[in-house]
Amino acid sequence: QAQLVESGGGSVPTGGSLTLSCTASNTPTFYMGWFRQAAGSEHEGVAAIDHDGKNAYYTDSVRGRFTISRDNSRKTVYLQMNALKPEDTAMYFCAAGFTQGSLLNFASYMYRGQGIQVTVSS
């Protein structure tokens, strides 16, 4: 059964840090991505990474604050989030099984996790 399981979410004050983890089971993992959805908004691409971690892609609003990485031996992708802002508050989703299109488009992935909440208080 294909499965993506996220962990590491929570509540932090502005300027705080969190690290999200996503472990894959029975899914293609060549490209993996992180997405988020704030209340009342569409899914937004946050970051994506290729298989060997040499290429990472970020949306402009998180570049320089967030870092995506992976450990292929653990089939796990991470999202280190620093200098968090209230506007980073959202449900964060992991995705795998890239098909075509943009790596930062949620619809480009076949498999998605159930999501984990990140809340940044002002």
Side-chain angles (χ1 to χ4, degrees), residues 33-47:
W34 283 101
F35 296 82
R36 64 187 180 187
Q37 186 178 29
S41 300
E42 298 292 322
H43 286 95
E44 176 191 21
V46 176

Side-chain angles (χ1 to χ4, degrees), residues 5-121:
V5 179
E6 300 103 336
S7 62
S11 297
V12 295
T14 296
S17 298
L18 283 172
T19 300
L20 304 182
S21 301
C22 170
T23 299
S25 300
N26 300 316
T27 70
T29 57
F30 193 90
Y31 290 108
M32 296 188 73
W34 283 101
F35 296 82
R36 64 187 180 187
Q37 186 178 29
S41 300
E42 298 292 322
H43 286 95
E44 176 191 21
V46 176
I49 191 167
D50 64 2
H51 181 70
D52 59 9
K54 290 183 178 179
N55 294 292
Y57 310 85
Y58 299 94
T59 192
D60 287 345
S61 63
V62 308
R63 188 174 291 112
R65 298 188 297 123
F66 291 11
T67 302
I68 188 170
S69 61
R70 63 190 297 162
D71 182 342
N72 289 335
S73 68
R74 298 176 184 269
K75 297 185 178 181
T76 298
V77 63
Y78 304 95
L79 185 68
Q80 172 68 45
M81 304 184 293
N82 297 326
L84 282 161
K85 305 175 181 180
E87 51 263 44
D88 295 317
T89 294
M91 187 75 77
Y92 282 70
F93 298 85
C94 173
F98 175 74
T99 56
Q100 62 180 5
S102 169
L103 285 168
L104 294 181
N105 186 338
F106 198 56
S108 296
Y109 294 81
M110 291 179 60
Y111 302 99
R112 298 87 175 259
Q114 291 191 330
I116 193 163
Q117 181 67 36
V118 171
T119 302
V120 185
S121 58

